[in-house]
Structure formats: structure tokens, C-alpha cells
Amino acid sequence: MQVEHGLFNCENTSLPSAVKLKDTAQLVLYFGAKDSLQQCDIYEKLHSLYPNAIIAGCSTGGEIIERDFNEDSCVYAALYFEKSEVKAVSAVLHNPEDSFNVGKKLATELSKKDKLKNIFILSEGLKVHGSDLVSGVNSVVDTTKITVTGGLSGDGLRFEETLVGLNEAPKSGQVVCLGFYGDDLEISWGSYSGFDNFGPERIITKSEGSTLYELDGKPALDLYKKYLGEEANNLPGSAFYFPLAIWPQNEKSEWSVIRTILSIDEKNNSMFFAGDVPQGWKVRLMWGKFDNLVDGAAKSAECAKPQKNDTFSILVSCLGRKALMGQRVVNEIEQSADTLSKEIQNNTRIGFYSYGEIAPHSISKIPVLHNQTMTITTFSEK
Amino acid sequence: MNILHFEDLNTESLQHTLLKKQIEKVEKYSGPLDPLNYFLSLIDLTYSEADRERRISEHTMRTMADEVMENNQDLMKQAEELKASQERYFLASEAANDALWDWNLQTGKVYYSKRWREMLNIPDDKITDTIEDWFSRIHPDHRKIVKQSIDQHLQGITNKIEIEHQLKTEQNQYLWILVRGLTSQKDGKVIRIAGSQTDITFRKHYEESLYKSAFHDELTGLANRALFINRLDQVISRTKRLGEKGAAVLFVDLDRFKYINDTLGHEMGDEVLKIVAKVLQNHTRATDTVSRFGGDEFTVILDPIYHLDEAKAIAERILKSLNKSYRITRKEVHIASSIGLTLVTRTMTNAESVLRNADLAMYQAKSGGKSRLEIFDQTQHEKLLLKMQIEADLRYYISRDKLLVFYQPIVDLKTSKVASFEALLRWFHPKRGYISPVQFIPLAEEVGLIGKIGQSVLEKVILQLKAWIDEVGEEDCPHIGVNISVRQLMDDNHFDLIILTLKALGDYCRFIHVEITESVIIKDPDLMIKRLEEITVLGIKISIDDFGIGYSSLSYLHNFPFDTLKIDKEFISGMMIEKKTEQLVKTMITLAKDLNLKTVAEGIENIEQMKKLQELGCTYGQGYYFSLPLRAEDATSIVVQQSFQTKQSKITQ
């Protein structure tokens, strides 16, 4: 496989005028800040560079390219698979309640073609039930053979509007699924957070879908504010500090998934999460020390590490990690890069900070929506 | 002062990734700030971020510590409340003297409270925490019901466990225990059963003694009448329902028990009853029921019984053991009993009828000579039933003085005048009609009514005699013959009463004839002679009734103070048919004359007989030819008429 990649921004557009994979690239992926995407006419530019390629991308909360982190930029990668194929489908998500059906519909489309190896999802980041979307996909494909990875698009810390596009200018309310096919295609993935549980175990006593009202019979928002202290003034952004580990009541905490706050509602004393928070599940607050988060990213990279040269990795990290680590996000990017490219050549990486990561659960192996992880998907060909 | 040039910096030696990244960033920077100030802003941000992380970290730790402290306080408070609650429960259970147990079904372990061990006297180190510690102590007969009770509660059939059973102490004694328990559920699954254990031994024993006193005879400890009837009803209904096996009932009555009580005292009587109880228990099986039915009556249910012989064998063994002498407080006491036996068959409807049959059989054993076993027989039963009804009626008639005395004239065969009357008892029953004395007198003798009857007749005769004397005067008053039975003569009390009654008559005694039967001669002749002489001393004459049919101990005749010999009607009726009989009658009359006795021919039915007797020299005649026995008023008419005629003839003379 061959990869070309680059970074540009509106003020200083540095897209090359000529590219090697101009005619051969099958897929161009891009991740950019919402403003950049809207102002730069991104689709038109990439389409003119790679007229034959599927062009898909989304808005972010920060972009990753190689060992660097940028904000207010746009990163892209053009892929040419010698032995594999790519198919892309998209759908409009009019209502978050449609999430399951949209996932099911798109996966059905992709399943029509043989030798499906991976479904990579780029989804609307706000008006979606991410967990349902993934469940919809899972309902169609054999998840023991086909990996499902991806991420929810972001809008920095604004949480206003996210954009996703397939073969057109990115727009709100879109879900794009990319299917990667071929016997020679190899997919590896890793998804870890590095967050640690702390404080007492609690129970979700009142919730509705992704909205959390009460823990142990007391308002959850009050508990958050207590823990945030003066940072409570910076809600919802500051809630990234304390994601929740949730798991079914009759399971052990190893089965937990992480949930991050997307927004709060002072009037209803509720919090809205990037994923469902089922009533009756157990909960512990999580706390990420910078060093541990970096270790989490390294662990993901270790799992997604390619075994050969000429590979491509997509890094989807949670916006919450960035909010927490500040400038130190470069540490997790560096650490991931070091691990992925260790002892091999030509591992190309782009990625973005998202509102949610999609990957199989580390224990159950069932694809789910994560929060607060570094999720890496690596593609290579035999 | 711009002494720092980024291009001069040696970044190779730097360790810190972020710092290196920052320097790279400054090198690529093309913004409005000069590189140093831009670099400083990045460094400044890094410190700020680190501070922020530290601040948040510290705040988090503090908050968590506070929360943990708060939770800890809550927990401590809960622990205190729990402790207080436990103490309350402990005090309550101590006060109730109850023991506690708690069976965790998930671990299988059981908690036994200190009181639990104390109740069973188990040393602290002996008991472990298994359910076997409990179950192995349950009485083998109760294990099934205890397990059943627990299972039923576990299945939700009952809303609690509540079961009385016996539990073995460390010293192998059984206590009566009441166990109560409830299950506790989690996620719809029963995870534990816990409850209390109360020692109810005292209550149980009290209940048992109450039960015993309600259903057992205090003296012998045997079942009482109520319990016996209850058991018998059960046996009857089972026999009716299943029919494959039967049962038998024994009715045991002591002979002469009243005599023992009267002569040796009640204490001795009680000892005898205890011995009888013991004998009955020794000869019966565990499945049989022995009861003291009342007084000296005992009843036994033999259950099961497959054949009459089986029951008979047991009854005979009992009879044998009961008919012998026992040494009681240095005295030799002879016990004897009569036993009635009846089978319980499918046709039996109730305890009452079974008991009646056994009682009847016993009654037959008694009347058949006592100290016997009699097996109930339906035909005999019917006869006996009739007899018993007659007896009952007789008692009723006697008590109401409804038996009548009739008078049959005895005629002087020379003068054809009524010389005397024989007083005869007559019983007219509204349903059965006329009942002959032949039928009821032996019965009256058997059941001991004869004395009463005899006395009543005597009194009536005396009244009648006085009435007649008043009516016609002593001169024309006929004599009256009264029958007195051997039993009346033999019995001291009866005899004394007769003498007393007759003595009251004074001089009028000469109008009375006492008629006795031949049987007197063989029953204790010396006593009889003595007693008859006591009667004759009063001026009363003695007739020997029904002469010739019985014992014919003619040699004795002269030893007795007889005045008249009454020839039985058998001879009179046979006399005209057989020469031999006529000869016999002739001999009797001759013999009587030789012994200076008058003769009365009984049962004269026609003129031929009368003439023959006149011919043979018989003094008096009696029978239908002359007159049937007459009501008192009719007899009175004859007396009056005869007196009138006598007086008239005197006038004419």
C-alpha cells in the first residue's frame, strides 16, 4: 500500500500542486477543525488533487499528523491499496433515535460486498446515540471476523455542530461508513485510556438514554461540581477531568466502558454523555494523571502496532484527553508514534481528537462506543 | 536584550519531549510575537497546566477524602445503629430465651447463636457451622417433616417455617423445639434462611399430661372411654373403607368385683384394677388399644385381626391370666373375669354397636356361668336382646307397681266349697300381651328382682286378706297361698323382710299358706328346714308346690314342716290316660295321708278328673274346671257369695 499525507490551513494552505497518487488513490481521509473545513472548501481541493478517490472526513477537536498535534488545521492522507478495495456509504441522521437503524442500514450496504475486513465509522458527533449506532452495525456483521472502528466528529470545546462528509463538502448530521475489503488486508487495533478509577462505587439510580440524573439517589451534577471545585465554572469542558467508568451491576468492573460528559443542563440538574448511561449500572469516577494517559496511549499503540513496513494508522483520541493534558497531548502522540513505528519503516499516521471512539471492547471484543481512549486502527497489506 | 538565539540551541541533549516540541514549534512559528516571548508563553502555559493538574488533583483528593470520611461516618452510624439493633434483638431473644440460627445458602454455612448451643448443652468447641450439626440432632421420626417444612417455604408454598420437633442434646436427651424461620431473597433468589428456636419441652409435657388426663384413666394409665371410642371409630371407618384387615373388640368385666371392694376395701379394689390393666397390656400388642371403660369394665381393640381364632387366642390367654389368685399386700385375692368378644366387620356402622355386641357377649359369658369367654353370636344376640328388653320392662312394671296378683280358687273336693286361693302373679304387657310367670320369674330370679317381686306379692296378699276379713269376718275368710322362691328363702335380707312382714300380720298369719317348690329340698336342706320352721312358728302353713316332677326326694318329706302337698298338673292330666300315672297319684295321696299331709290336685280341667280325685281321696282341687285365676274383685265376689251362702245355710239349719 502507498500513502501520501499532509497538513494545511486556511491562512497558509500548503497543499501540493502535484501528487504521486493523483489517479491511483482509492481513498482520501481528512480531519480538520470545523472553521478550517468550512472556510477552505476542503472537499473541492482534495477532489481536484485526487479526482478518482473516495473523499471522506470530519471535523475535530484537534488534529494529529505523524508526531505532531495541531489545532485549527486540516490533515489528510491519500491511500492506495494494491490488493484491497474500499467502499463508502453514508446516511443522514435526522434524529438521534435513528442511530441504530442508520448503523444497521450502512453496515448492510457494506456487507453486500465480499471479503469485508473492517468498517471504519465517521459519525456526527453530537446529535447521535453513538452506542446505538455501533449496535446497529454489530447487528449486521459478524464482529468476530470484521473489526469495527472509528470515531465521532468533534467541534473543539464548543459542542455546537460537527461535520462529516463523503464525496461532498462535510455537513452536519451525517454518518459515513468505510468498508475495507480483501484477503490480503490486515487490520490491527488498540483502544485504552489510562484513566484510573477512584472514589466509591456508585449506582446509576436515574437515567434516560445518554442523560444522567442521579447517582445513589443524589443529583449527579452536584457530585461533579463538588469534585470539580472552582473548575465547576468551566463546565461542561472541565467535566472531562472526571469521566465515568460504568458496567452492568452483575459484572465485574473489568467490563466497564468509559463515558464522558458532553453537556450539562442546570435546569434539570442533568448531564448528557457521549454514550448511554443505563440505569442500574455501577459507576466509579475516573481520574487521568498525565503520565498514565500517555501510558494508555502507548498500550493502544502496542496493540495496533503493525508487523511490517508501509502501513497506515488512524489515531482517534478523545477530546477529553486533550482538554485534560493541554500541551502535553504531544506526549501521547509521540509515545504512540514511537511504539507504532518501532522496528518497522513507513508507518504513516493521521488522526483527530473526537467526541467518541469506536473499537471493540478490550475484554468482550464486541465493538462499542468508548470515551477517553486513544483508539488506533492500523491497515497493512500482506 | 535579545541574547537568546534559537538556532544556537542544542536541542539534541534535551530529555523532555514537550520542551523539544515547544522549541520545534517556536522554530516553525511565524506569528506576531518574537520567538523568545512566544517560547515563554508556551513555557508559561505548561507551568499553568501543571499547576492546574496539581490543583485539581489536590482538590480531588480532598473531596474524595471528605466523601470517604462522610461515608465512613455514615457507615459508623449505621454500624452503631446495627449494633444497637443487634443488642435489642439479642436482649429480646435472651428475654424470650430463644436461640437463633442463620443458614447462608450460598456458602452453605450456618450461624448458631450461643443460646442455641446452651439449649442443647453443646460445648463451644464442639459445634461447627454446618447444617448437619442441626439435622443430625433431629429425632429420626421428625427429619422428614422438618425438611418438608423448609422445602415448602423455599418453594413459596408457605409464608414461613414453623415446625415443632424433637432435638437431641449433647447428653442424648430429646427436647421439644419450636423452630420458626424466614427466607431472605436477593435478585429473586433465596440466599439465606434464618430464624429462632424455642425450647417448648415444658409446654409439650404439660400438653401431654393434659391430653393424658383428658384421654386416659388416672388409676391405670390406660386409655379412657372417650379415647377408646375415638380409636374404635377410626378402626371402624378404616375397616369399612379398606376392608382388607379387620379388628376385634373385647369387653372384659370382673366377676365379683363389688365383693372384693366391699370386703377388702377400695384400696385393694384399686390394686386389683391395676393388675387387670397390667395383664391386659401384657397380653396385647403395641397396635392394640386397652382401655378402662368404667368401674370394673375394660375394653380392648385388637387391631389388626385377620381371623377370629387369632382374637380368640388372645382373649383366652387374657382370661387365663385374669382367672387366678394374686397376692396383693400380703393377701391372696382371687380375680375372675368374663370376656365378650366381637369382630369389627365392614357391616359395623359405629362404635356403639360394636361395643353393644361385645357387651352382650360378655353378658352371655356371665349368665353362662362366669369366668368364661363368649363370642358374640347374632341369633343368640337377638334372644338376649329380647330378654334384656323384657328385663327392662319388668323393672319398669315393678317400679310402677303394675304387676297384678290374681287369685285362683282351691276347692274342697268333699264340700265343693272354696277353701282357699292361690295368689298368682300376672303381667299384662301392652305390646307383648300376657307374659307367663314361667317366662319372667326365672328372669326375675336371674337378675335379682325376685325378692322385690315376692315381697310385693306378699304385701298385696296381706292387704287382700285384711280386706276379706273385714268383708266377711274371720270365720268365712278363705286362706291364701303365696309362692315364695328358693332365692327369697336363701337370701338373708329377703327372708328377714318376709318374716318381718308376716309378723306384722300377727294372728292373721293362720290364713296364709306359703307355697314352695321341691327345689328347696336339695338346696341347703338344713337351712331350709330352719327357715321354714321360723315361718310355721308364726302359724303359717307350708305347701310343697308342683310335687312329683322334680327331685322326688320323698325321704326328705317328713323332715320338712309341710302341711300340704300339691300334686303337679302333669300327673293330673296324665292320670286319665295312663294307668301308671294314676297309680302314682294314688301313691302320692296315700303317702301324704300317711305323713298327715293334705293334698291339692293342680290343673283339674274336667269333671272326670275331679271325680277320680274324689275317689282317690284327694283333699283339694285346683284348675280351670273350677275357675281360672281371678282378679281380686272377682275373687272377692266369690268370697262374699260363699260367706252369704254359708250364713244362709246356717239360718236354714
Side-chain angles (χ1 to χ4, degrees):
Chain A
M1 78 184 286
Q2 293 174 43
V3 186
E4 281 178 352
H5 69 308
L7 170 139
F8 62 97
N9 58 45
C10 282
E11 291 153 22
N12 180 21
T13 304
S14 58
L15 274 175
S17 49
V19 289
K20 248 165 65 185
L21 301 176
K22 181 180 172 72
D23 298 320
T24 54
Q26 292 140 310
L27 171 69
V28 176
L29 282 171
Y30 64 87
F31 310 120
K34 188 175 76 180
D35 293 346
S36 293
L37 296 184
Q38 282 170 331
Q39 288 161 20
C40 298
D41 210 1
I42 182 78
Y43 168 71
E44 288 303 329
K45 286 195 167 88
L46 289 172
H47 181 60
S48 61
L49 265 180
Y50 303 100
N52 299 328
I54 296 165
I55 295 170
C58 68
S59 59
T60 71
E63 303 81 52
I64 297 164
I65 183 161
E66 293 301 309
R67 292 175 171 274
D68 292 331
F69 167 76
N70 289 282
E71 283 173 297
D72 310 321
S73 72
C74 183
V75 298
Y76 73 94
L79 309 177
Y80 165 60
F81 294 98
E82 278 133 14
K83 302 166 190 169
S84 311
E85 290 179 68
V86 184
K87 184 180 169 185
V89 288
S90 71
V92 179
L93 190 61
H94 298 289
N95 187 330
E97 311 303 322
D98 295 337
S99 301
F100 181 90
N101 287 334
V102 165
K104 188 177 171 182
K105 182 186 152 199
L106 294 175
T108 307
E109 283 286 306
L110 294 179
S111 299
K112 284 177 184 167
K113 193 171 161 65
D114 286 345
K115 298 176 185 174
L116 181 62
K117 273 290 178 66
N118 172 258
I119 293 176
F120 194 88
I121 302 169
L122 290 174
S123 166
E124 154 72 36
L126 290 170
K127 292 172 274 180
V128 65
H129 288 161
S131 303
D132 291 351
L133 177 70
V134 179
S135 296
V137 172
N138 292 347
S139 72
V140 178
V141 300
D142 178 356
T143 55
T144 60
K145 291 183 180 133
I146 296 159
T147 54
V148 179
T149 51
L152 306 188
S153 54
D155 181 20
L157 287 172
R158 287 177 293 185
F159 300 98
E160 287 166 2
E161 185 188 34
T162 66
L163 309 174
V164 178
L166 174 67
N167 297 331
E168 61 174 351
K171 57 189 183 189
S172 174
Q174 285 274 114
V175 178
V176 171
C177 283
L178 304 170
F180 294 87
Y181 304 82
D183 291 333
D184 295 314
L185 186 65
E186 284 176 334
I187 311 288
S188 52
W189 57 271
S191 176
Y192 287 94
S193 75
F195 274 80
D196 296 313
N197 295 346
F198 81 97
E201 204 171 273
R202 305 163 207 266
I203 290 176
I204 299 175
T205 47
K206 190 181 174 190
S207 71
E208 237 178 75
S210 300
T211 308
L212 173 67
Y213 295 95
E214 287 177 5
L215 294 174
D216 289 341
K218 293 173 196 157
L221 189 57
D222 290 353
L223 180 79
Y224 257 82
K225 285 180 176 171
K226 196 162 94 182
Y227 270 89
L228 285 169
E230 57 189 29
E231 290 284 340
N233 300 326
N234 301 324
L235 275 168
S238 57
F240 282 121
Y241 282 108
F242 304 116
L244 297 181
I246 63 169
W247 65 96
Q249 202 166 34
N250 46 6
E251 299 288 356
K252 291 179 179 163
S253 62
E254 282 81 0
W255 292 83
S256 66
V257 290
I258 303 172
R259 290 287 177 261
T260 303
I261 294 189
L262 292 185
S263 61
I264 61 163
D265 184 344
E266 293 274 4
K267 210 172 83 188
N268 291 321
N269 222 6
S270 67
M271 309 158 85
F272 186 69
F273 283 80
D276 58 341
V277 278
Q279 199 164 298
W281 281 33
K282 286 187 177 171
V283 171
R284 273 185 91 184
L285 289 178
M286 299 186 98
W287 160 247
K289 264 188 76 184
F290 293 175
D291 291 346
N292 294 349
L293 297 188
V294 173
D295 288 345
K299 205 169 165 188
S300 287
E302 194 60 49
C303 293
K305 183 178 154 40
Q307 303 301 316
K308 48 170 51 173
N309 299 336
D310 302 320
T311 56
F312 172 64
S313 296
I314 306 171
L315 282 64
V316 182
S317 186
C318 184
L319 181 72
R321 296 169 75 87
K322 200 212 108 189
L324 200 61
M325 290 195 280
Q327 292 187 88
R328 300 228 194 149
V329 289
V330 297
N331 289 45
E332 75 165 6
I333 294 167
E334 276 278 336
Q335 190 62 59
S336 302
D338 285 350
T339 306
L340 284 167
S341 58
K342 199 175 173 186
E343 294 160 0
I344 56 147
Q345 290 175 353
N346 292 335
N347 173 256
T348 310
R349 297 169 298 278
I350 64 166
F352 65 101
Y353 280 84
S354 76
Y355 281 1
E357 311 82 61
I358 295 164
H361 190 273
S362 58
I363 292 186
S364 72
K365 308 297 180 204
I366 296 167
V368 288
L369 177 75
H370 299 271
N371 288 148
Q372 298 291 5
T373 64
M374 165 65 92
T375 293
I376 302 173
T377 313
T378 300
F379 300 84
S380 60
E381 284 187 299
K382 286 177 190 167
Chain B
M1 187 181 75
N2 195 355
I3 52 166
L4 198 63
H5 298 285
F6 269 86
E7 52 274 26
D8 299 335
L9 291 175
N10 179 9
T11 57
E12 290 300 311
S13 61
L14 293 176
Q15 295 287 318
H16 203 276
T17 309
L18 180 60
L19 186 57
K20 282 198 274 186
K21 283 278 168 191
Q22 284 171 331
I23 290 167
E24 274 174 34
K25 216 168 178 176
V26 173
E27 283 169 352
K28 288 178 192 166
Y29 180 70
S30 58
L33 293 175
D34 67 81
L36 183 61
N37 278 324
Y38 180 58
F39 183 61
L40 282 175
S41 75
L42 291 178
I43 299 290
D44 181 49
L45 186 60
T46 306
Y47 281 122
S48 301
E49 283 174 351
D51 284 350
R52 189 181 178 209
E53 190 199 14
R54 199 198 66 244
R55 265 202 322 277
I56 291 175
S57 176
E58 283 170 358
H59 177 75
T60 305
M61 289 306 138
R62 227 176 14 251
T63 309
M64 192 166 73
D66 289 349
E67 197 184 6
V68 166
M69 186 67 88
E70 217 171 276
N71 286 353
N72 198 25
Q73 279 168 352
D74 282 352
L75 281 176
M76 278 164 67
K77 202 175 156 199
Q78 281 174 19
E80 268 170 37
E81 281 167 6
L82 190 66
K83 198 178 158 203
S85 160
Q86 275 177 337
E87 276 171 4
R88 260 199 308 278
Y89 194 76
F90 175 77
L91 286 173
S93 67
E94 280 289 299
N97 220 10
D98 285 353
L100 303 176
W101 53 274
D102 186 350
W103 182 9
N104 185 325
L105 295 179
Q106 288 179 320
T107 62
K109 289 186 176 175
V110 188
Y111 161 78
Y112 298 104
S113 71
K114 193 164 172 268
R115 174 77 191 117
W116 200 93
R117 292 194 296 269
E118 285 169 0
M119 203 177 269
L120 299 169
N121 269 324
I122 306 169
D124 284 359
D125 54 342
K126 184 91 185 258
I127 195 118
T128 58
D129 55 5
T130 69
I131 194 68
E132 267 313 295
D133 289 328
W134 174 11
F135 273 64
S136 63
R137 289 173 185 275
I138 298 176
H139 193 286
D141 293 350
H142 296 161
R143 272 177 207 159
K144 201 173 157 193
I145 50 162
V146 172
K147 282 182 175 157
Q148 221 167 31
S149 168
I150 293 172
D151 284 347
Q152 283 179 345
H153 182 52
L154 284 174
Q155 288 163 20
I157 299 168
T158 53
N159 59 4
K160 64 180 172 191
I161 295 166
E162 188 162 339
I163 179 99
E164 293 180 357
H165 65 276
Q166 281 186 290
L167 211 57
K168 197 164 64 179
T169 66
E170 193 65 13
Q171 290 71 39
N172 288 324
Q173 285 172 327
Y174 278 103
L175 297 181
W176 269 102
I177 293 292
L178 168 65
V179 158
R180 290 196 183 94
L182 281 175
T183 53
S184 158
Q185 297 197 346
K186 194 178 175 189
D187 303 330
K189 211 173 124 192
V190 177
I191 53 161
R192 61 196 267 209
I193 317 174
S196 65
Q197 175 172 297
T198 314
D199 182 353
I200 54 164
T201 309
F202 178 77
R203 194 196 85 199
K204 271 282 175 186
H205 287 171
Y206 183 64
E207 279 175 3
E208 265 168 30
S209 72
L210 275 184
Y211 175 83
K212 262 208 135 134
S213 61
F215 292 105
H216 289 80
D217 172 51
E218 211 178 324
L219 178 69
T220 60
L222 295 178
N224 66 8
R225 177 193 288 251
L227 180 58
F228 181 85
I229 288 173
N230 180 282
R231 293 257 172 93
L232 185 55
D233 277 332
Q234 286 175 19
V235 169
I236 290 166
S237 67
R238 191 205 63 210
T239 308
K240 270 168 83 172
R241 205 172 59 245
L242 303 171
E244 88 277 17
K245 57 178 178 182
V249 168
L250 303 182
F251 205 109
V252 181
D253 189 277
L254 298 187
D255 300 333
R256 297 169 53 248
F257 181 70
K258 189 177 176 299
Y259 174 76
I260 293 173
N261 249 350
D262 289 350
T263 55
L264 301 175
H266 285 281
E267 279 180 21
M268 192 64 95
D270 285 352
E271 289 306 312
V272 167
L273 292 174
K274 281 190 205 168
I275 287 172
V276 172
K278 200 141 211 159
V279 167
L280 290 174
Q281 281 176 315
N282 287 346
H283 287 286
T284 47
R285 305 159 297 180
T287 51
D288 299 335
T289 302
V290 180
S291 95
R292 183 175 172 208
F293 203 66
D296 61 339
E297 292 173 338
F298 293 83
T299 47
V300 181
I301 303 171
L302 300 173
D303 176 36
I305 287 293
Y306 295 95
H307 196 272
L308 175 64
D309 290 345
E310 211 181 327
K312 217 173 128 185
I314 298 173
E316 274 164 355
R317 283 201 294 275
I318 291 171
L319 191 69
K320 204 174 155 195
S321 291
L322 281 185
N323 287 339
K324 59 181 182 189
S325 295
Y326 287 88
R327 201 166 174 78
I328 305 168
T329 54
R330 280 174 294 179
K331 268 187 190 133
E332 197 76 16
V333 180
H334 185 79
I335 302 178
S337 68
S338 300
I339 302 180
L341 186 164
T342 189
L343 287 177
V344 178
T345 60
R346 295 184 79 166
T347 53
M348 302 288 172
T349 50
N350 53 38
E352 200 186 323
S353 61
V354 174
L355 275 168
R356 192 194 57 216
N357 291 351
D359 190 19
L360 280 169
M362 188 277 294
Y363 189 89
Q364 278 177 315
K366 281 235 187 253
S367 50
K370 297 187 177 174
S371 301
R372 289 156 53 103
L373 165 69
E374 203 65 57
I375 294 157
F376 174 75
D377 175 300
Q378 189 63 34
T379 52
Q380 277 188 6
H381 156 59
E382 277 157 18
K383 274 191 211 160
L384 197 63
L385 207 62
L386 180 69
K387 197 171 143 189
M388 287 173 79
Q389 277 165 357
I390 292 174
E391 181 192 327
D393 289 347
L394 185 58
R395 284 182 194 277
Y396 173 79
Y397 271 75
I398 293 167
S399 69
R400 300 288 166 105
D401 198 21
K402 280 192 166 184
L403 295 179
L404 301 175
V405 177
F406 272 48
Y407 297 89
Q408 189 171 35
I410 295 172
V411 177
D412 187 323
L413 292 180
K414 277 185 187 156
T415 63
S416 297
K417 279 188 175 177
V418 175
S420 61
F421 290 87
E422 182 182 359
L424 293 165
L425 196 57
R426 285 294 175 268
W427 182 11
F428 296 98
H429 193 282
K431 281 183 193 156
R432 297 180 209 281
Y434 170 68
I435 300 173
S436 161
V438 177
Q439 210 178 341
F440 74 82
I441 291 297
L443 176 67
E445 285 189 334
E446 190 183 323
V447 299
L449 287 171
I450 197 68
K452 222 171 190 178
I453 293 174
Q455 186 63 29
S456 149
V457 171
L458 185 61
E459 281 167 10
K460 281 197 168 78
V461 165
I462 287 169
L463 283 177
Q464 189 59 60
L465 180 70
K466 285 180 176 168
W468 283 346
I469 290 171
D470 289 348
E471 187 86 31
V472 297
E474 283 182 46
E475 208 173 317
D476 290 337
C477 183
H479 293 192
I480 302 177
V482 184
N483 290 283
I484 289 184
S485 78
V486 182
R487 277 173 197 257
Q488 278 176 285
L489 290 177
M490 294 286 287
D491 187 284
D492 295 347
N493 294 332
H494 289 157
F495 183 72
D496 290 348
L497 199 61
I498 289 168
I499 294 296
L500 212 64
T501 314
L502 290 172
K503 270 185 179 164
L505 202 55
D507 195 28
Y508 290 158
C509 277
R510 64 181 199 276
F511 289 98
I512 299 288
H513 282 239
V514 165
E515 296 192 9
I516 58 163
T517 57
E518 272 183 306
S519 57
V520 204
I521 298 167
I522 53 142
K523 271 238 160 114
D524 201 348
D526 294 343
L527 178 72
M528 280 303 122
I529 291 166
K530 200 174 145 241
R531 297 223 153 149
L532 290 176
E533 277 170 352
E534 272 186 65
I535 294 172
T536 52
V537 161
L538 299 172
I540 291 167
K541 303 209 165 54
I542 313 275
S543 302
I544 174 133
D545 207 359
D546 304 334
F547 186 77
I549 52 158
Y551 310 94
S552 305
S553 308
L554 291 175
S555 56
Y556 279 98
L557 270 181
H558 70 278
N559 293 329
F560 286 81
F562 295 138
D563 174 76
T564 307
L565 191 147
K566 292 184 86 175
I567 303 166
D568 192 83
K569 63 180 183 218
E570 293 288 319
F571 296 100
I572 307 307
S573 60
M575 167 181 84
M576 302 308 287
I577 306 159
E578 261 188 331
K579 199 73 193 162
K580 208 172 140 192
T581 311
E582 189 194 319
Q583 197 57 50
L584 263 175
V585 174
K586 195 180 165 186
T587 311
M588 282 190 254
I589 293 169
T590 311
L591 178 72
K593 273 183 182 163
D594 290 349
L595 290 170
N596 205 21
L597 301 178
K598 295 182 190 82
T599 45
V600 177
E602 293 181 294
I604 298 173
E605 289 175 348
N606 51 50
I607 189 161
E608 289 79 18
Q609 291 169 342
M610 187 202 69
K611 283 188 169 161
K612 176 59 77 184
L613 288 163
Q614 278 177 328
E615 198 181 293
L616 292 174
C618 182
T619 328
Y620 303 107
Q622 181 182 359
Y624 293 173
Y625 173 70
F626 302 110
S627 171
L628 292 170
L630 302 170
R631 289 178 177 278
E633 51 268 35
D634 295 335
T636 304
S637 299
I638 290 175
V639 170
V640 170
Q641 199 187 351
Q642 188 165 289
S643 165
F644 177 72
Q645 283 172 356
T646 308
K647 286 186 172 91
Q648 207 174 36
S649 68
K650 273 183 184 166
I651 295 166
T652 52
Q653 275 173 10

